[in-house]
């Protein structure tokens, strides 16, 4: 079994504590390599997976191919929506992920920067997707992840959003 540092929060595991086990390093490296292969262009696949799709695929094989705890550490480090991911919100707005949610129970609710409102006009506002309306429901949620090319966003334009 991997040597894991004790913590009041079982998910608060550092990469350093994981690296004390050779098996854990191998498993972490395997997850990282598979994630990279899924999210990078490959000759055998027309388009790479979006980050969120790759994370979902990794989660499908939790417990069978990957150690669940090490996979959880990887996902907490990367976030389901890595920084820079382009997303559409349920409000119709387009946004980019600024930072992952540090709460491991809410990795699907990062902080985003809206750059286009529902009508397609430019906008600039930062929202924590943990914000709730008076009824207790989230004010905004991610409904889709995009690659910059899918929405005709040039690289220089994309980088200026960040």
């Amino acid at each position: 079994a991997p040597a894991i540092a004790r913590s009041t929060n079982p998910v608060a595991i550092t990469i350093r504590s994981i690296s004390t086990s050779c098996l854990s390093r191998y498993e972490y490296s395997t997850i990282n390599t598979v994630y990279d292969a899924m999210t990078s262009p490959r000759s055998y696949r027309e388009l790479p997976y979006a980050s969120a799709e790759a994370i979902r695929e990794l989660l499908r094989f939790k417990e069978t191919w990957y150690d669940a705890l090490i996979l959880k550490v990887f996902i907490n480090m990367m976030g389901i929506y890595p920084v820079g991911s382009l997303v559409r919100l349920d409000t119709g707005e387009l946004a980019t992920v600024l930072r992952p949610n540090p709460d491991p129970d809410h990795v699907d609710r990062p902080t985003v920067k809206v750059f286009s409102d529902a009508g397609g006009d430019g906008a600039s506002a930062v929202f924590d997707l943990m914000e709730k309306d008076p009824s207790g429901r989230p004010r905004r949620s991610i409904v889709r992840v995009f690659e910059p090319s899918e929405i005709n966003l040039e690289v220089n334009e994309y980088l200026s959003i960040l």
Side-chain angles (χ1 to χ4, degrees):
I4 304 294
R6 296 236 182 251
S7 170
T8 55
N9 178 352
V11 179
I13 300 167
T14 63
I15 299 304
R16 184 176 155 199
S17 66
I18 287 177
S19 67
T20 59
S21 164
C22 184
L23 178 59
S24 295
R25 277 183 288 187
Y26 172 75
E27 289 182 32
Y28 187 82
S29 175
T30 300
I31 291 168
N32 189 48
T33 300
V34 170
Y35 176 84
D36 181 58
M38 287 192 288
T39 58
S40 301
R42 295 286 188 239
S43 61
Y44 52 83
R45 182 179 53 244
E46 196 170 313
L47 292 171
Y49 284 75
S51 298
E53 289 177 288
I55 294 291
R56 273 194 290 278
E57 282 297 304
L58 289 170
L59 285 169
R60 276 185 354 132
F61 297 103
K62 177 177 70 175
E63 303 290 347
T64 55
W65 287 6
Y66 312 112
D67 180 272
L69 182 60
I70 294 173
L71 182 57
K72 190 168 190 169
V73 169
F74 178 81
I75 292 169
N76 287 342
M77 184 184 77
M78 291 294 294
I80 290 178
Y81 305 106
V83 172
S85 296
L86 291 172
V87 297
R88 179 173 303 280
L89 305 178
D90 58 355
T91 57
E93 299 162 308
L94 291 176
T96 186
V97 174
L98 289 181
R99 61 185 159 273
N101 191 324
D103 182 344
D105 293 329
H106 299 286
V107 294
D108 60 331
R109 307 208 60 78
T111 298
V112 299
K113 180 179 180 183
V114 170
F115 63 88
S116 177
D117 65 16
D121 296 323
S124 182
V126 174
F127 297 101
D128 180 348
L129 297 186
M130 288 297 292
E131 291 176 17
K132 301 203 183 300
D133 66 19
S135 70
R137 291 187 298 193
R139 289 188 185 275
R140 290 174 172 78
S141 294
I142 294 173
V143 294
R144 180 145 189 246
V145 180
F146 293 97
E147 292 299 320
S149 60
E150 288 183 79
I151 55 174
N152 297 321
L153 191 62
E154 294 295 322
V155 173
N156 289 339
E157 187 180 354
Y158 173 65
L159 292 175
S160 71
I161 294 168
L162 299 173

